[in-house]
Amino acid sequence: MMKAALIFVLMAVAGCASQMMEGYLGKDITEVIMDRGTPSGAIDLPDGRRAFMWTSTQTSVAPVTTSYSGSAYGGTAMSYGGSVSRWDCTYTFIGQRNPRGSYTVVDFRQPSLMCE
């Protein structure tokens, strides 16, 4: 049941990050900076464009589940679950130099499925 719920949640949010990133195409990189803060890194690409990267840590918590079988006088309890998973997500926007001396967002890298 827990696995089915997790799959449903992942499917429900699939594409959310990509849709958000698509919304910045054609806008100045300062729009992204104003919404997401200072990028964690930037690199110049060989073709003159620049990649701006934001990294965030995602966390997933699975609660402990306990089942009990027996009576009020004795029985068996079985516990399972209880884990915390953490992973880093990198969101990369590609900018092309514009006449204002800034960068216009022209592309982005699709984040991993776990980051959608």
Side-chain angles (χ1 to χ4, degrees):
M1 183 71 166
M2 179 71 120
K3 187 176 181 178
L6 180 60
I7 291 171
F8 175 77
V9 169
L10 286 175
M11 289 176 61
V13 299
C16 289
S18 296
Q19 289 174 354
M20 175 274 301
M21 294 174 84
E22 273 184 15
Y24 288 108
L25 290 174
K27 295 183 179 178
D28 196 280
I29 196 68
T30 56
E31 293 289 323
V32 184
I33 293 169
M34 289 180 355
D35 291 343
R36 299 189 63 82
T38 304
S40 55
I43 57 170
D44 291 324
L45 303 174
D47 62 2
R49 299 181 305 163
R50 180 174 281 184
F52 298 87
M53 294 152 295
W54 283 260
T55 302
S56 66
T57 300
Q58 306 294 321
T59 305
S60 173
V61 177
V64 174
T65 302
T66 302
S67 61
Y68 177 80
S69 61
S71 67
Y73 301 105
T76 303
M78 174 94 56
S79 296
Y80 55 93
S83 65
V84 176
S85 300
R86 297 173 61 114
W87 61 94
D88 288 333
C89 293
T90 301
Y91 303 91
T92 304
F93 291 90
I94 311 296
Q96 180 72 51
R97 184 66 96 170
N98 61 36
R100 294 181 305 277
S102 184
Y103 290 85
T104 300
V105 177
V106 295
D107 200 2
F108 62 89
R109 290 192 67 180
Q110 189 84 17
S112 70
L113 180 60
M114 290 297 291
C115 299
E116 287 284 350

